[in-house]
Amino acid sequence: MIQIQELDADRLDMAANMLKAIAHPMRIAILKHLEGGKKLTVTEIHELLGIEQSTTSHHLGILKDKGVLCSRREGKNTFYYLKHDVLSQIVDCLHRCTCGE
């Protein structure tokens, strides 16, 4: 277990900002779609979520800005993926906590 004295204020701030960025239903859904190392384009994500492409881009921008996602450009497409695969465990935890398991 981590001792309070071992916690770094900058790391805590970064973690809090990442959690704030994730704390939106569409952003949680985006993370769910990117689990398992998947790399998807804005178009693929907006089609999966059934929301406007501009709205999808907005959510992706927030997640990328806060260090949750990374992107890689290939030709005309930009692929988004989880910066840290372990972030999918947060989504799994939320699912377990909200499904009564």
Side-chain angles (χ1 to χ4, degrees):
M1 185 112 197
I2 297 175
Q3 298 297 317
I4 295 297
Q5 297 85 355
E6 296 175 25
L7 298 175
D8 176 274
D10 290 336
R11 290 182 69 170
L12 288 173
D13 189 51
M14 186 170 77
N17 284 326
M18 290 173 82
L19 289 171
K20 287 179 203 173
I22 293 168
H24 185 283
M26 283 297 139
R27 295 183 207 139
I28 293 170
I30 289 169
L31 267 60
K32 189 71 179 160
H33 286 298
L34 294 174
E35 283 181 325
K38 290 182 190 164
K39 294 175 174 65
L40 299 173
T41 65
V42 176
T43 302
E44 291 170 323
I45 294 168
H46 105 83
E47 288 173 354
L48 286 167
L49 297 176
I51 60 174
E52 295 292 325
Q53 190 161 343
S54 61
T55 304
T56 304
S57 294
H58 172 74
H59 288 303
L60 290 170
I62 290 169
L63 291 168
K64 186 177 175 191
D65 182 55
K66 298 302 179 186
V68 177
L69 299 182
C70 287
S71 65
R72 186 184 77 243
R73 189 155 182 85
E74 287 184 16
K76 295 179 186 178
N77 294 315
T78 301
F79 289 87
Y80 289 87
Y81 56 96
L82 293 178
K83 186 170 185 177
H84 307 283
D85 289 330
V86 73
L87 288 169
S88 64
Q89 291 180 12
I90 293 172
V91 177
D92 291 340
C93 179
L94 292 171
H95 179 73
R96 286 192 306 275
C97 291
T98 59
C99 291
E101 291 181 18

